[in-house]
């Protein structure tokens, strides 16, 4: 059974320019104290064809006492030079694929 349950994700500064930092308010519940930090990753998928274009940013939060917690995850926008041209904004495939 999972010790951490994500209960809500709110996209902040929405709508926003693609070049502004991405901001998410994350709410989660911890069913028992975690002495180790939790790693939270944001993965920007630059191409559905290959993971080679994924851009990853992560942060650590912790230690975490039992209970409900809220924090804001903010990351810089993706580096557009690392997105394949066919996947760039305005093409048939849009690169708006974020995994939290």
């Amino acid at each position: 059974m999972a010790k951490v349950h994500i209960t809500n994700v709110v996209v902040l500064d929405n709508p926003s320019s693609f070049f502004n930092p991405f901001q998410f308010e994350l709410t989660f519940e911890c069913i028992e104290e975690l002495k180790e930090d939790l790693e939270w990753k944001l993965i920007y998928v630059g191409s559905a064809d290959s993971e080679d274009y994924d851009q990853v940013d992560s942060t650590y939060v912790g230690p975490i006492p039992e209970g409900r917690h809220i924090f804001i995850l903010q990351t810089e926008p993706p580096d557009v030079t690392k997105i394949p041209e066919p996947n760039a904004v305005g093409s048939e495939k849009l690169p708006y694929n974020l995994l939290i």
Side-chain angles (χ1 to χ4, degrees):
M1 178 163 70
K3 296 179 182 180
V4 176
H5 301 273
I6 298 172
T7 58
N8 196 31
V9 177
V10 177
V11 179
L12 303 176
D13 193 24
N14 185 23
S16 180
S17 166
F18 180 78
F19 300 102
N20 286 349
F22 292 163
Q23 299 177 55
F24 303 92
E25 180 184 84
L26 300 169
T27 304
F28 67 97
E29 292 192 18
C30 204
I31 63 170
E32 67 182 59
E33 179 181 9
L34 300 178
K35 296 180 193 269
E36 302 293 322
D37 291 351
L38 285 176
E39 181 180 17
W40 296 85
K41 288 185 180 182
L42 185 132
I43 303 171
Y44 182 87
V45 179
S47 173
D49 301 323
S50 173
E51 290 181 9
D52 293 340
Y53 302 104
D54 288 0
Q55 297 179 51
V56 181
D57 194 5
S58 65
T59 190
Y60 291 87
V61 176
I64 310 286
E66 180 180 345
R68 181 174 177 255
H69 305 279
I70 299 173
F71 77 100
I72 295 176
L73 174 63
Q74 179 173 315
T75 184
E76 291 302 312
D79 180 348
V80 295
T81 65
K82 296 180 180 176
I83 301 171
E85 191 172 327
N87 297 88
V89 174
S91 69
E92 292 179 25
K93 296 180 183 178
L94 296 178
Y96 293 109
N97 304 310
L98 292 172
L99 304 175
I100 300 175

